[in-house]
Amino acid sequence: QVQLVESGGGLVQPGGSLTLSCAASGSIFSINAVDWYRQAPGKQREVVAGITSGGTNYADSVKGRFTISRDNAKNTAYLQMNSLKPEDTAVYSCNAVITTRSFVSRGYWGQGTQVTVSS
């Protein structure tokens, strides 16, 4: 009933920028919270940024470089990533807590998008 699709990943040089999108579709009543996660090869998945109606929060490793935002009209969340470093290389995924039109709330995952920072 609900799908999340990430896009915007790719190859970028150190110091460059990328904007990831997380678009939700389906039987959506409201999107309550969105978190962006990343998982690098051989490492555990970590949360890098989150947004709710109350505000935003960031991992220390990305604070000041990444910005999370959302467009409620488009049911889409974004992750603007600036000053990218090789250590930002990972598969980035979004997780959204969504209330459907049946008034059931649960978390949904997207399929992930690869971000590679390399010269």
Side-chain angles (χ1 to χ4, degrees):
Q1 281 190 321
V2 174
Q3 276 192 319
L4 287 184
V5 177
E6 297 105 335
S7 60
L11 173 65
V12 63
Q13 292 187 340
S17 299
L18 281 176
T19 299
L20 306 183
S21 299
C22 172
S25 62
S27 179
I28 298 168
F29 176 75
S30 65
I31 300 176
N32 307 315
V34 180
D35 292 307
W36 281 98
Y37 289 78
R38 68 184 180 187
Q39 186 167 22
K43 294 188 176 181
Q44 286 191 330
R45 185 169 58 193
E46 62 173 345
V47 60
V48 295
I51 186 167
T52 67
S53 58
T56 59
N57 57 81
Y58 300 91
D60 288 343
S61 59
V62 306
K63 204 170 289 184
R65 300 188 298 122
F66 290 12
T67 302
I68 188 171
S69 61
R70 59 193 288 180
D71 184 333
N72 292 329
K74 295 182 178 179
N75 287 333
T76 300
Y78 304 94
L79 187 67
Q80 172 70 43
M81 305 185 295
N82 298 325
S83 302
L84 283 162
K85 305 175 182 180
E87 51 264 43
D88 294 319
T89 295
V91 175
Y92 285 72
S93 303
C94 62
N95 178 277
V97 177
I98 294 174
T99 300
T100 67
R101 289 177 185 152
S102 301
F103 299 106
V104 174
S105 298
R106 54 160 281 198
Y108 293 85
W109 285 96
Q111 83 287 357
T113 186
Q114 176 70 46
V115 172
T116 302
V117 185
S118 175
S119 54

